[in-house]
Amino acid sequence: AAMPDENVTEGLSGSKDGEAARQKMQIKSFTAWVNLHLKQAGMAVENLKTDFGDGIKLLRLVEIISEEELGKYNQNPVSKFQKVENLNIPLKYINSFLKEIGIRNTYSAENIIDEDMTLILGMVWSLILRYNVADISEGDKTAKEGLLLWAKTKVEEVSKGEVKVSNFHNSWQDGLAFNCLIQAYRPDLVQYQKLNKSAKVDNLNHAFDLANDKLEIPKLLDATDMVSMRPDEKSVMTYVSFFWKVFAANKRKKIAAERITNVLQRELAYRDLMEQYKLNGEQLGRWIKLKTDFFEAEPNCNSQAELEVEMKKHVMEYGRGEKPTKLNELNDLEALHSSITSRLASLGRTFIPTEDTSLKVLNRWWEELTYAEQAYEANLRLKLKNLKRVEYYIKLHHSKASKLEDWLGDKERWLGKPADAAANGAAAAPPADADETPPAGPVPRKSSFVGMLKSTGSSFGNRAASPEADGEGAKPTMVDMKALEKVASPPTPKGQRASKGVKVVPLHDGPSESVADVQAKLNMLTAHNEELSGRQATVPELDKLLAKIGELGCPPMRQFSLTNRTSVIKERIKDLEALGTESEQRLREEYAHQQKMDEMRLVFAKKAEALNRAMEERVDTFSEIFVVDTVAEAEQQVAEIDGYRESLEALQCDLDAIAAYAEEMGSMRISRNPYSRFGMPDLLAHMSRCEAALEARQVSVQEALAHQQQIDATKKAFAAAADAILEFVKAERAKLDEVAPPGLVIQPDDTAAIEKGKAMGSALDALMAPDAKEGRDAKLLPAQELSDKLMEAAELDNPYTAQTIMTLKTQIDLLDKVLRDKRSFVEGQLARAQAEITSEQYEEIKKVFYHFDKSKDGLLNQLEFAAAIKAMDFEIADHEQQPTFLRFAKEGQRAEEPAAMTIDLSGFTTFVLQQYKDNDTKDTLFAAFETVANGKDTLSAEDIRAAIPQEEADYLLSQLELKDGDHGLEYKKFTEAIYGGT
C-alpha cells in the first residue's frame, strides 16, 4: 500500500528549542550511520549539511549499502554542473526505489547543494528505511510497527512485563529496554534485574558499550542526549534496527541451540523421571516389606476391646486409607514405568530399573503382602469371634453363678449357718468384671425360698383367705397361720436378710411346737434337698462354660477369676449339703414327737416346687442374652421359639393339674400349707412371667433377624454396586484404549497420523470435560450411600466383596489419571510430530498474525506477511520472500497474480512450524551441534554457555568428553547415545 509523503520526512513536533535539540540528535545518529558504511571506502562525513555537496560521498554511500555500482562520476568536481551531475546518479537510484514502494517524495541535487537540512535528513532516513528497517517490511509505517512489535515482545519477555515498550522515544530513555533487548539474545552479557532503574545514563552507556564491544553495533546514540531531551524517534528506530539485524543473522544458530536445549531438557526430564521412579519404587518396596512382616506376626491383642480397636484400625486406617494410597502409588509407578519405557523406546533406548524396583518384583511383593494381609485379617476375625463368644459365655456364667449364689445365700441362712460364715462364703465369690455385668435391663431371678413361702399368704390354691377364717363360725384349718409363721419365719437376726430384701427365718429358730412343725420342716428340708439336686445341675453347666471360655482363649487372669468363683460355689454347695444332713438328723430326732404331715400338702408342695422350678428355668432360658452376627444365627433363634412355646404349653398342663389338685384340697377345707412355698396365685403369676418372657424374647429375636437381614441386603447391594463400578471402569479403560491405543506413535510429516492424533486429542478432551468427570464421579454415589449405612451400623466386613468405597474411588481416580496420561501422551506425540511447538509459541504466532492483519479479514498480503515473519525474528533473503509467500498462500489462489494472493493463519503457522521443524533424530541433533560449533566437531564451554541456558548447559558439560589431543568437547558420542547408539 502507498504511504503518505510525510512518512519519509516525518517532522519532530514541539517547541522550537525542542525541535532543534531533536534535529541535533538526529544529525548525530544519522552521521554515525553514514560513517559506519563510508569507512569501508575510507571516507567519512563531518557535516551532513555540506559534505554531500559534490555528490561523491553520497554516491559511494549508496553503492556500499546497495552493493551495486552506479556508474562513472566526476572524481574531482569543481563546477556546480559537475556536482549536480554527480548528485543525480545516486538521487536517481534513491527516487526509483521510493517510487517502487509507493512513496511520492523525490529528491533533487538542488536540495543538497542548497544545504536543505530537513530534506537531507529525510533522504538519509529513506536510505536507513530501505537498507536497515525495510528488511522488516516495505514502507515506513509497516516497518515501524514490525520493528516495534519485535522489540516490545523481546523486552517484555525478559522483564516479565515490568519494562513496557510502546514507542521509539521515551520507552527507551532509561536504558532498560536496550539492556533487556541484549539479554533476550545474549543472557550471558546482561542481567536486567541487577540494573539500577534510576541510573538512566549508566544503563544507556552499559547497553551501548556492550552492543559496540560484543555485538559490533555502532554507538549511534548519545546517552546524555537520550536522557536530557525527548529522544528522536528515527534515531532510536535506526539504532534498534541494528539489533534486529545482528540477532536475525544469528537466528539459525539460535534455532540450533533451541533444538539442543529441547533435547537436553527432555534428557533432564527423563533423568528426573527415572530418579523419581527409583525413589518411589524403593519407598514403596520398603513399605510393602514392612507391612508384610507386620501381618505375618501374631496379633498382640488379649481382649475383645483391643481386637475391635485393631480390627477397626486395620479396616479404617489401613484398608480404607493407607493401602488404597499405596495401591495408587503402585499404579502411578506402573504408569510412570510405561511413560518412561515408551518415551525411551521412541529413541531406541530401553528402561531397566534396579531389581528391587522392577514392576515384576514389586507386584510379586504386593501379592505376598495381600496374602499376609488376608491371613492377618482372618486371624483377627477368628480371634474377635472367639472373644465375642468368650464374653457371651462369661456373661452367661455370671448370670447362672449369680442366681446360684443368691439361692445358696438364702439356703445357708435358712439352715442356720452363722451370719459371718455366710457372709464369708458370699465374699469368697469374686465380683464380676465390668464386662461380665449382665445386659442392661431387668433379668428375671428366682424368688428366695422363704420369700415364696411368704407370698402364699393366708390362702391356698385359687381360694383367698377370708376374715372369717379365724373367727367364730369359720371352717377349721389344719394349721394355724400364726403358728406356721412362727415356725417358718422366726425373727431374722439383725442385719441378716435375703438377697431380695425378704426376711430369711432359720429352719431351727426355736423349738418345734407340734408334729406339724417338725413334719413341715422335714418336708421343707426334703424339698430343699431336691431343689439342691436340681441346683447342683448348674455346676456342670458352669464347668462346661469355663471349658468353652478356656478353649476360646480367655485371658488367664479372667479365667482364674471365673474358676475361683466356681470353686467357691462348689465348696458352698458341699457345706450346704453338710448343713442339710445335720438339720435332717436333728429333725428326725424330733420326728417321733410330731404328727405325720398331711400327705396332700406334701404332694402339692412337691408339685408346686417342681413346677415353680421348671417355670423359673423357663424364665431364665427365655431371658438369657443372645448374640447374632449373621442371618443364619438369627433364623436359628427364631426357630427355637416354637420349641420354647411347646415346652410352655406342657407347663400349662402341669399348672392345670396342680390347680385341680388344689381345688380338691380346698374341698377338704385345707386352707393353708406350711410345706409349700407357693400358692396358686404365685404359680399363676410365675406362668404369666414365663409367657411375658417368651413374648419379649420373640420380639427381640424378630428384631435381630430383621436387622441382620437389612444389613445383609445392604452388603449385597454394596457388592453389586462395586461390581457395577468395576465393570464401568473396565469398559471405560477399553474405550480409552480404542480412542488412543497403547504404543501410539505419530511420526513427523505423517499428515494422516497427525490429523488422527488431533481427533484423538479432541475425543480425550471430551472425556475430560467437567460433565464427563461428574458423570464418572456419580457412579460412586450409590456405593457411597450403602457404605455410609454399613459404617453407621459398625459393619466393617463384607463377605460378598473385597472392595471398599476407598478402593472403588481409587479405581475412578486411576481412570481419570489414565485419561490425563493418555491426553498428555497424545499431546506429546503431536508436539513432537509438529516440531514440538509450545502453546506459548502458538500464542505468539497468533499475536503477530493478527497484529499485521490490517484489514481484519483473517488474511495477510505479501507485504504484511513479510513484516510478520521479520517481527518473529526470521531472516529471509529478499529474493526468497516472494517464493516463500507463494508456497504457503491459500489453496486455490496459486494461479492468481501474486499481488492478489493472501495467506491465512493456518498457512502462516505452517510456515513458522517449518522454521522450528525438528525431526528429533540423531542427524538433526548432530547438525544442531555443528551449527552451534560453527562447523567444528568440538565445542568449547564458552560456546555452550553462550547458546544454552545454565541448567541445561551444566548437564551437557557433565556429559561431554574432551577429544583426544584437543581442548574441545566432543559431541558425536553424546548424540549417538541419546538415540540408542553405543
Side-chain angles (χ1 to χ4, degrees):
M3 298 295 172
D5 296 348
E6 60 270 26
N7 284 346
V8 176
T9 58
E10 181 180 342
L12 300 170
S13 60
S15 65
K16 290 184 178 181
D17 292 341
E19 182 69 27
R22 281 191 291 277
Q23 190 179 70
K24 180 180 177 182
M25 183 178 183
Q26 194 174 101
I27 291 170
K28 187 184 294 186
S29 62
F30 284 10
T31 300
W33 182 84
V34 170
N35 286 333
L36 174 68
H37 296 289
L38 283 180
K39 71 178 181 180
Q40 298 180 36
M43 297 180 179
V45 297
E46 295 181 359
N47 188 335
L48 287 178
K49 191 173 185 180
T50 60
D51 287 359
F52 285 147
D54 61 5
I56 294 176
K57 292 182 178 179
L58 179 60
L59 186 145
R60 293 296 291 131
L61 174 64
V62 173
E63 285 185 335
I64 290 169
I65 61 178
S66 67
E67 298 179 352
E68 297 182 24
E69 291 186 3
L70 300 184
K72 296 181 180 180
Y73 61 93
N74 293 308
Q75 296 185 4
N76 295 301
V78 177
S79 64
K80 180 178 180 182
F81 176 78
Q82 291 175 325
K83 293 178 181 179
V84 169
E85 194 175 48
N86 279 355
L87 285 168
N88 282 335
I89 295 173
L91 289 175
K92 179 181 178 182
Y93 183 86
I94 293 171
N95 288 331
S96 67
F97 76 68
L98 290 177
K99 183 177 180 181
E100 286 177 4
I101 62 176
I103 296 178
R104 296 190 296 272
N105 280 9
T106 58
Y107 297 98
S108 66
E110 286 74 14
N111 298 144
I112 298 173
I113 292 173
D114 292 342
E115 300 179 353
D116 188 332
M117 195 63 190
T118 300
L119 290 177
I120 291 172
L121 290 174
M123 178 192 66
V124 175
W125 176 241
S126 297
L127 293 173
I128 293 172
L129 280 176
R130 177 66 181 84
Y131 293 104
N132 256 62
V133 181
D135 279 349
I136 300 176
S137 68
E138 298 292 343
D140 183 10
K141 279 295 181 182
T142 308
K144 177 181 176 182
E145 289 177 3
L147 185 62
L148 184 62
L149 178 61
W150 169 80
K152 171 185 174 67
T153 301
K154 299 305 175 185
V155 169
E156 292 186 358
E157 280 178 2
V158 171
S159 67
K160 294 181 173 56
E162 292 183 3
V163 179
K164 304 291 185 182
V165 173
S166 58
N167 54 54
F168 282 112
H169 41 82
N170 54 18
S171 292
W172 304 83
Q173 203 166 20
D174 58 6
L176 295 178
F178 287 117
N179 281 282
C180 288
L181 202 55
I182 295 172
Q183 184 175 339
Y185 291 91
R186 290 292 303 274
D188 57 313
L189 298 179
V190 182
Q191 287 187 322
Y192 147 76
Q193 294 84 355
K194 294 184 177 181
L195 297 177
N196 183 352
K197 296 178 176 56
S198 60
K200 298 181 179 180
V201 173
D202 291 342
N203 294 339
L204 287 165
N205 282 327
H206 181 260
F208 296 162
D209 291 341
L210 283 176
N212 185 70
D213 298 341
K214 301 294 183 179
L215 306 177
E216 299 182 356
I217 296 175
K219 293 184 179 180
L220 300 186
L221 303 176
D222 181 89
T224 304
D225 290 345
M226 288 285 292
V227 173
S228 62
M229 56 180 285
R230 180 180 184 270
D232 175 59
E233 189 172 45
K234 294 177 180 178
S235 300
V236 174
M237 188 173 174
T238 301
Y239 186 56
V240 172
S241 70
F242 275 97
F243 285 90
W244 185 88
K245 280 268 187 188
V246 170
F247 295 141
N250 291 327
K251 184 68 176 182
R252 183 168 172 268
K253 182 178 287 189
K254 181 174 182 292
I255 291 176
E258 287 177 351
R259 287 180 178 174
I260 295 171
T261 301
N262 289 339
V263 171
L264 294 175
Q265 288 174 343
R266 182 186 67 202
E267 289 303 307
L268 284 170
Y270 289 177
R271 182 195 66 183
D272 292 343
L273 287 175
M274 288 186 281
E275 289 178 354
Q276 186 64 45
Y277 178 90
K278 180 181 179 183
L279 176 63
N280 293 353
E282 289 174 347
Q283 290 176 346
L284 182 60
R286 285 195 297 271
W287 178 86
I288 292 174
K289 300 300 288 182
L290 183 66
K291 282 296 178 183
T292 302
D293 292 342
F294 173 79
F295 288 136
E296 288 177 348
E298 185 72 16
N300 185 22
C301 303
N302 294 318
S303 68
Q304 180 180 345
E306 291 177 353
L307 272 172
E308 287 176 345
V309 169
E310 178 61 23
M311 177 64 79
K312 189 171 184 179
K313 180 180 179 182
H314 176 71
V315 174
M316 298 296 293
E317 296 181 12
Y318 173 78
R320 300 190 180 184
E322 189 176 6
K323 185 182 179 182
T325 299
K326 294 301 178 180
L327 177 59
N328 210 5
E329 290 180 11
L330 180 59
N331 291 331
D332 288 344
L333 204 63
E334 290 177 345
L336 182 58
H337 185 282
S338 175
S339 177
I340 295 172
T341 300
S342 62
R343 283 164 169 76
L344 292 181
S346 67
L347 301 174
R349 290 151 64 184
T350 304
F351 175 49
I352 304 176
T354 61
E355 183 179 357
D356 286 350
T357 60
S358 68
L359 290 181
K360 181 179 179 181
V361 171
L362 289 175
N363 280 315
R364 187 182 78 242
W365 287 357
W366 188 269
E367 289 179 4
E368 293 172 358
L369 169 65
T370 302
Y371 294 145
E373 167 201 328
Q374 291 172 348
Y376 180 80
E377 184 174 344
N379 196 3
L380 280 181
R381 294 188 186 282
L382 179 60
K383 281 200 166 191
L384 182 59
K385 183 176 181 180
N386 288 343
L387 282 183
K388 281 184 177 180
R389 292 297 177 186
V390 166
E391 296 299 329
Y392 165 71
Y393 289 133
I394 285 175
K395 290 176 181 177
L396 194 57
H397 182 281
H398 172 77
S399 175
K400 291 179 178 294
S402 297
K403 294 168 185 174
L404 189 53
E405 286 166 346
D406 287 347
W407 183 84
L408 285 171
D410 286 346
K411 290 301 183 180
E412 286 167 347
R413 288 187 289 274
W414 180 66
L415 289 174
K417 186 174 183 179
D420 55 346
N424 291 336
D433 292 339
D435 46 3
E436 293 174 3
T437 304
V443 178
R445 295 276 186 88
K446 295 184 220 177
S447 302
S448 66
F449 179 81
V450 178
M452 289 191 175
L453 179 62
K454 293 287 289 181
S455 68
T456 305
S458 59
S459 63
F460 188 80
N462 290 328
R463 183 177 299 173
S466 62
E468 298 85 358
D470 295 320
E472 185 177 353
K475 296 178 180 179
T477 59
M478 297 180 66
V479 179
D480 186 281
M481 187 61 192
K482 292 183 179 180
L484 179 60
E485 286 183 350
K486 186 174 181 181
V487 173
S489 305
T492 302
K494 185 176 181 181
Q496 189 169 323
R497 285 188 172 273
S499 59
K500 289 192 174 182
V502 180
K503 290 182 180 181
V504 177
V505 180
L507 180 64
H508 301 289
D509 185 26
S512 299
E513 296 180 355
S514 65
V515 173
D517 289 346
V518 178
Q519 188 62 49
K521 291 177 181 181
L522 280 172
N523 290 337
M524 289 172 67
L525 188 58
T526 301
H528 156 74
N529 291 333
E530 291 179 358
E531 185 177 9
L532 177 60
S533 298
R535 297 289 181 172
Q536 282 178 317
T538 305
V539 175
E541 294 179 9
L542 295 178
D543 289 335
K544 288 181 181 179
L545 289 174
L546 284 175
K548 288 182 180 179
I549 290 169
E551 290 171 2
L552 292 174
C554 176
M557 289 303 297
R558 299 184 72 190
Q559 191 172 355
F560 172 78
S561 174
L562 296 169
T563 302
N564 187 51
R565 185 178 186 183
T566 304
S567 299
V568 170
I569 290 173
K570 291 178 180 179
E571 289 298 323
R572 292 178 67 185
I573 289 175
K574 288 181 181 180
D575 292 344
L576 192 63
E577 287 177 335
L579 283 174
T581 302
E582 180 183 345
S583 296
E584 184 178 2
Q585 181 65 33
R586 290 173 58 185
L587 289 174
R588 290 199 180 279
E589 290 175 356
E590 295 180 8
Y591 184 73
H593 306 289
Q594 304 297 329
Q595 287 185 346
K596 184 178 179 181
M597 183 82 173
D598 185 354
E599 185 177 351
M600 288 189 72
R601 288 175 176 165
L602 182 57
V603 170
F604 180 89
K606 289 180 179 181
K607 289 183 179 182
E609 192 68 36
L611 181 59
N612 179 73
R613 183 169 65 250
M615 287 191 291
E616 283 184 345
E617 290 173 353
R618 293 298 181 275
V619 170
D620 290 345
T621 300
F622 299 160
S623 303
E624 283 179 355
I625 59 172
F626 62 91
V627 177
V628 292
D629 292 324
T630 65
V631 172
E633 291 178 357
E635 289 174 342
Q636 178 62 31
Q637 290 290 334
V638 172
E640 290 177 359
I641 294 295
D642 292 337
Y644 293 156
R645 198 171 299 282
E646 290 176 2
S647 67
L648 197 60
E649 290 173 356
L651 289 181
Q652 182 63 49
C653 292
D654 292 342
L655 180 61
D656 292 342
I658 291 177
Y661 194 76
E663 186 68 26
E664 184 180 350
M665 292 176 67
S667 65
M668 296 177 66
R669 300 187 181 278
I670 299 175
S671 60
R672 297 185 182 185
N673 191 343
Y675 310 122
S676 177
R677 295 186 300 144
F678 310 106
M680 282 307 300
D682 301 315
L683 297 177
L684 290 172
H686 291 174
M687 178 57 74
S688 297
R689 284 199 295 273
C690 286
E691 293 171 346
L694 180 58
E695 293 303 319
R697 187 178 186 87
Q698 184 174 11
V699 170
S700 299
V701 167
Q702 290 293 345
E703 290 176 351
L705 176 60
H707 176 72
Q708 285 300 322
Q709 288 172 336
Q710 183 180 6
I711 292 297
D712 199 61
T714 304
K715 289 180 178 180
K716 288 180 179 177
F718 178 84
D723 291 341
I725 291 172
L726 293 178
E727 285 299 320
F728 168 76
V729 170
K730 181 179 178 182
E732 288 295 298
R733 291 289 292 268
K735 184 190 298 182
L736 286 179
D737 287 342
E738 289 178 6
V739 172
L744 169 70
V745 177
I746 303 176
Q747 296 294 346
D749 299 325
D750 187 345
T751 306
I754 291 174
E755 290 303 318
K756 185 177 180 181
K758 290 179 179 178
M760 290 179 186
S762 299
L764 292 172
D765 286 338
L767 293 173
M768 292 174 66
D771 56 343
K773 175 69 168 64
E774 290 173 1
R776 288 191 293 274
D777 291 341
K779 296 290 182 180
L780 283 171
L781 294 179
Q784 181 69 62
E785 292 177 0
L786 294 168
S787 177
D788 291 343
K789 290 181 180 178
L790 292 174
M791 185 66 65
E792 289 174 3
E795 292 290 336
L796 304 181
D797 62 314
N798 190 337
Y800 303 110
T801 180
Q803 301 297 324
T804 66
I805 193 64
M806 293 305 298
T807 60
L808 294 175
K809 188 175 187 305
T810 297
Q811 291 294 327
I812 294 295
D813 291 343
L814 181 59
L815 181 62
D816 290 337
K817 184 179 183 302
V818 170
L819 179 57
R820 292 193 300 272
D821 287 347
K822 282 188 177 288
R823 185 65 183 96
S824 175
F825 183 68
V826 170
E827 285 180 348
Q829 289 283 315
L830 285 173
R832 189 173 67 85
Q834 299 179 88
E836 296 188 1
I837 188 169
T838 65
S839 59
E840 292 79 7
Q841 288 173 324
Y842 185 62
E843 289 301 318
E844 181 184 6
I845 291 171
K846 291 196 297 183
K847 177 181 177 182
V848 171
F849 180 88
Y850 289 120
H851 178 83
F852 286 99
D853 178 16
K854 302 301 181 183
S855 59
K856 305 303 179 186
D857 58 358
L859 300 170
L860 299 180
N861 60 32
Q862 185 174 343
L863 292 178
E864 292 169 337
F865 172 74
I869 63 177
K870 296 297 183 180
M872 290 203 67
D873 212 7
F874 293 113
E875 183 180 28
I876 299 180
D878 291 345
H879 66 278
E880 294 180 354
Q881 287 193 8
Q882 183 168 324
T884 300
F885 174 75
L886 296 178
R887 188 162 68 252
F888 294 99
K890 287 182 65 180
E891 293 289 340
Q893 294 184 342
R894 303 292 166 82
E896 299 180 10
E897 289 296 324
M901 296 177 69
T902 56
I903 188 171
D904 58 14
L905 177 60
S906 176
F908 185 66
T909 303
T910 303
F911 162 78
V912 176
L913 284 176
Q914 287 209 357
Q915 310 312 304
Y916 284 112
K917 191 68 174 177
D918 184 356
N919 290 326
D920 195 11
T921 65
K922 180 174 67 176
D923 293 338
T924 55
L925 179 60
F926 187 84
F929 273 121
E930 200 171 36
T931 300
V932 173
N934 295 317
K936 297 184 296 183
D937 59 358
T938 60
L939 284 163
S940 69
E942 290 73 18
D943 291 335
I944 293 172
R945 294 201 180 279
I948 297 173
Q950 180 176 345
E951 182 181 1
E952 290 78 6
D954 290 341
Y955 174 72
L956 181 59
L957 288 171
S958 71
Q959 302 296 311
L960 297 182
E961 299 177 358
L962 283 172
K963 186 176 181 182
D964 295 338
D966 196 343
H967 296 295
L969 298 166
E970 188 177 19
Y971 52 81
K972 183 178 180 181
K973 290 182 180 178
F974 174 76
T975 302
E976 291 175 344
I978 287 294
Y979 293 94
T982 56

